Amino acid sequence: MLKTRIIPCLDVADGRVVKGVNFVSLVDAGDPVESARAYDDAGADEICFLDIAATRENRGTMEDIVRRTAEQCFVPVTAGGGVRSPDDMQALLMAGADKVSINSAAVANPAIISDCADRFGRQCVVVAIDAKSTGNGHWVISTHGGSRMTDIDAVAFAKLVESKGAGEILLTSMDRDGTRDGYDLTLTRTIVDAVRLPVIASGGVGTLSHLVDGVIHGGASAVLAASIFHFGDHSIGEAKAFMADHGIAVRQ
Amino acid sequence: MTCCVIVDYGSGNLHSAEKSFQRMAADRPFTEIRVTGDPEAVIRADMIVLPGVGAFAACRQALADRKGLVEALFEAARDRAVPFFGICVGMQMMATVGTERGATCAGLDWIPGEVIPLATNDVTLRLPHMGWNAFDSCATEHPVFAGVAPGDHAYFVHSYHLRPRDPSHVLAQATHGETFAAAVGFDNIVGTQFHPEKSQATGLRIIGNFLGWRP
């Protein structure tokens, strides 16, 4: 049977990992490629790079990071941040990314999703949805790293991206991101129930129980986390053992 | 010198495939990995890898657009019978026919059978089938699967699968809603629905086995 994936996410700006990765084994904690390699060795199921600066000048830097990672790591890699067109996606795929996430561009013009899916197959098109609660049981999406709010309903948008040919949804709760209070489980469950695509839960993980909750209560196909792994609170192996103890099928 | 050609026809997973085969070729003196779309190089190749991601019809069209490439693949893999490895859609294209979004598209017809959607009636099972799945069965006696066992994991990303007409063409199986062919092959030909180049130690073992295969 298909296993639940654990995905460490590396936020990258100007070619460096933001905040750094706190592994004793790393010589340069800011090097995204070295960090990716450490996660590959630790048994991560995928690795996700997000360029949070996402300027046009950074595009080549991200391609270089992906290229060097694919030379050393034989594990699936998702890259995103600042992807505006099918050509941007192609450059990252040719560099060795398996999947590319699009966010702001998909909101501005959802047709880009079908353009990319037609050219490269839906399996590599990840749509990153950054959702924020309106307080009345609804969520709207934000773009540009949470800096711009829209009035687009998150559930309706998730259904739209599925119909346009997305292969996966990377769902981040902007209310929980960075809080370490756990995923927004109601949001996760609502989106999971609205689509048939795999949904990656993201935003707010502070403990291993949060990962379990994301799968059992949220229904996520994969759980993404950053700081609990980067700061050395828990290893990928510990996370998998904990999830397995709670009845979740993982690859060990 | 053994020259293993990875066929370049614009498929997205080319770089990863190249790096993984290079990694395993490093342990084998006199094995060269060459990425090219040149039909002459394919005709002369000692081994051939056909990668592929995306839609069946798009990949099949991209292959057909490279003048002489399909003929070169037939000459090397069928007439000269050099070891051939199709990955994901590169495997699916060996079928007689692909069916995708209602349209059909002729394959290479090396493995009689068709490429059809994964039938998952269980709504809790997501599509695409994306992630790590374990082999239910595996042809452990096949040289390319030496050291690989049922229960080992590989990385899959697909919504369609190849169903061979001849069950003896199935080399490994996995299940997502239904049990499907995770690997196929006969004589000098193998193909995997999963991505060995993304399947960590298990994938690298299969790639290394292939490079040493002399069917």
Side-chain angles (χ1 to χ4, degrees), chain B residues 17-85:
Chain B
E18 177 188 3
K19 293 302 164 190
S20 59
F21 278 81
Q22 270 174 357
R23 159 75 72 92
M24 298 318 286
D27 300 338
R28 300 185 168 275
F30 313 114
T31 299
E32 176 201 10
I33 306 297
R34 193 169 163 207
V35 177
T36 175
D38 177 12
E40 287 303 314
V42 171
I43 285 172
R44 288 194 307 271
D46 301 304
M47 320 187 84
I48 294 172
V49 179
L50 184 65
V53 292
F56 184 103
C59 283
R60 187 68 188 83
Q61 188 61 48
L63 208 54
D65 286 345
R66 268 69 174 176
K67 194 169 162 27
L69 190 51
V70 170
E71 293 77 3
L73 288 171
F74 268 88
E75 184 169 336
R78 302 310 307 271
D79 300 347
R80 285 178 45 235
V82 304
F84 178 94
F85 194 157

Side-chain angles (χ1 to χ4, degrees), chain B:
Chain B
M1 196 61 146
T2 301
C3 180
C4 176
V5 163
I6 301 180
V7 181
D8 179 4
Y9 63 103
S11 168
N13 60 341
L14 199 66
H15 181 79
S16 313
E18 177 188 3
K19 293 302 164 190
S20 59
F21 278 81
Q22 270 174 357
R23 159 75 72 92
M24 298 318 286
D27 300 338
R28 300 185 168 275
F30 313 114
T31 299
E32 176 201 10
I33 306 297
R34 193 169 163 207
V35 177
T36 175
D38 177 12
E40 287 303 314
V42 171
I43 285 172
R44 288 194 307 271
D46 301 304
M47 320 187 84
I48 294 172
V49 179
L50 184 65
V53 292
F56 184 103
C59 283
R60 187 68 188 83
Q61 188 61 48
L63 208 54
D65 286 345
R66 268 69 174 176
K67 194 169 162 27
L69 190 51
V70 170
E71 293 77 3
L73 288 171
F74 268 88
E75 184 169 336
R78 302 310 307 271
D79 300 347
R80 285 178 45 235
V82 304
F84 178 94
F85 194 157
I87 299 174
C88 196
V89 180
M91 165 228 192
Q92 293 183 354
M93 285 193 291
M94 293 194 283
T96 310
V97 66
T99 317
E100 213 168 280
R101 297 184 198 176
T104 59
C105 176
L108 299 170
D109 198 20
W110 296 356
I111 296 190
E114 52 182 358
V115 176
I116 51 177
L118 272 173
T120 55
N121 297 324
D122 181 349
V123 291
T124 65
L125 291 175
R126 306 271 139 175
L127 284 176
H129 173 225
M130 185 181 291
W132 295 85
N133 204 334
F135 301 128
D136 301 330
S137 65
C138 176
T140 48
E141 73 290 352
H142 193 289
V144 173
F145 287 89
V148 181
D152 286 353
H153 287 89
Y155 189 80
F156 293 84
V157 188
H158 63 118
S159 301
Y160 294 79
H161 66 108
L162 197 175
R163 181 185 288 160
R165 244 168 261 150
D166 179 348
S168 75
H169 286 162
V170 176
L171 297 182
Q173 289 179 306
T175 300
H176 185 67
E178 66 173 319
T179 298
F180 64 91
V184 296
F186 66 95
D187 296 348
N188 61 308
I189 284 171
V190 293
T192 60
Q193 180 60 67
F194 59 89
H195 287 273
E197 77 281 12
K198 292 292 171 180
S199 295
Q200 290 184 327
T202 299
L204 292 176
R205 178 186 287 272
I206 289 167
I207 289 167
N209 287 344
F210 174 76
L211 290 172
W213 189 33
R214 299 292 177 266

